[in-house]
Amino acid sequence: MSARVQTEAFEIGTELAGFGHGAGAIVTFSGLVRDEGGRLVALEIEHYPGMTEKSLEAHGKAAAERFGLIDWIIIHRHGRLEVGEPIMMVATAARHRAAAFEGAEFLMDWLKSRAPFWKREITLEGPGDWVEASVSDEDALTRW
Amino acid sequence: MDVLYFAWLRERVGHPRERIETRAGNIRELVAELAAMDEWHAAALADLSAVRVAVDQELADLDTELSGAREVAFFPPMTGG
């Protein structure tokens, strides 16, 4: 059970060593920087130090309780991330797959619109616009 | 009280953090005080539908009371993940 905010890259396989001991199902999700049709070269990710760590930890625990997770990992990077690099990962471990999938989806929906991160697009011309929150991300939270 | 700004709010205000003395009872009153400080604060806080707020690192809303608060942060809707 761990929540981390970092600039460094991570490797999913390494993170999963020893993860979810005793589980019957492990679900992992990782989000990568898209090039948005060749428009982007990188993303700059800003966060709220202090609040971010606390809120990731609290939601990991909430997901564990709600879905009966045996183990969970949330890793989210900040700083400049090039196209193709992983931004974040979520892993959940449970006795059965439904709980592992649901726990991961809950954490992802929550991360998209409640964790204090903001993304700015970097194009060939330099720093561009801040990414606007999407209505569909906000709507996704209502299912929980 | 420390007031923090993130993303485009930080850019509009011109700095990431400031220390202010306030008698504001809730967030709505604090926003009015900040917006009256100068044109940069006014521009950052002009459209509150595009602004989220946290009090002592917990998400809050405009009616949240400020008694005893040490840190208030203003930022756009989050876009993580």
Side-chain angles (χ1 to χ4, degrees):
Chain A
M1 292 170 212
S2 66
R4 289 186 352 239
V5 184
Q6 62 190 40
T7 55
E8 303 78 31
F10 56 82
E11 210 283 301
I12 293 177
T14 309
E15 300 296 338
L16 293 180
F19 175 74
H21 182 71
I26 288 175
V27 166
T28 65
F29 173 85
S30 55
L32 313 179
V33 180
R34 283 187 299 263
D35 70 357
E36 302 293 357
R39 202 163 51 79
L40 294 197
V41 294
L43 283 178
E44 177 79 29
I45 298 184
E46 180 171 331
H47 78 114
Y48 182 172
M51 180 175 173
T52 313
E53 292 84 347
K54 276 200 310 195
S55 59
L56 294 185
E57 187 80 31
H59 279 77
K61 285 180 180 164
E65 192 161 319
R66 178 165 179 174
F67 301 99
L69 302 180
I70 291 168
D71 208 350
W72 54 271
I73 297 173
I74 306 169
I75 300 173
H76 205 302
R77 297 173 68 196
H78 65 101
R80 181 186 165 115
L81 305 181
E82 308 299 318
V83 163
E85 282 195 68
I87 303 177
M88 52 79 59
M89 72 168 275
V90 160
T92 53
R95 284 175 51 75
H96 300 286
R97 73 174 187 275
F101 274 120
E102 283 191 336
E105 291 220 59
F106 167 83
L107 285 173
M108 279 311 306
D109 283 347
W110 174 80
L111 274 163
K112 293 293 283 185
S113 50
R114 290 290 183 277
F117 291 96
W118 303 277
K119 293 192 274 213
R120 188 218 298 265
E121 296 184 337
I122 298 175
T123 66
L124 283 172
E125 285 78 46
D129 295 332
W130 292 94
V131 176
E132 286 198 27
S134 86
V135 174
S136 60
D137 286 344
E138 183 64 28
D139 288 348
L141 270 184
T142 60
R143 64 176 160 151
W144 307 107
Chain B
M1 174 192 296
D2 288 318
V3 181
L4 281 61
Y5 305 94
F6 292 95
W8 57 257
L9 274 106
R10 168 175 53 71
E11 293 174 326
R12 284 191 196 171
V13 170
H15 45 247
R17 159 190 293 263
E18 60 196 347
R19 193 159 184 87
I20 63 157
E21 298 296 327
T22 179
R23 288 186 171 181
N26 61 26
I27 296 290
R28 200 182 300 275
E29 292 172 19
L30 177 65
V31 166
E33 276 186 23
L34 293 169
M37 282 168 68
D38 56 46
E39 61 191 285
W40 297 283
H41 284 82
L45 297 166
D47 177 11
L48 293 181
S49 70
V51 173
R52 300 288 179 268
V53 59
V55 174
D56 289 334
Q57 304 189 350
E58 297 281 347
L59 287 175
D61 59 39
L62 292 174
D63 297 319
T64 299
E65 296 193 359
L66 283 173
S67 66
R70 296 180 306 279
E71 182 176 292
V72 173
F74 293 98
F75 39 78
M78 296 78 130
T79 52

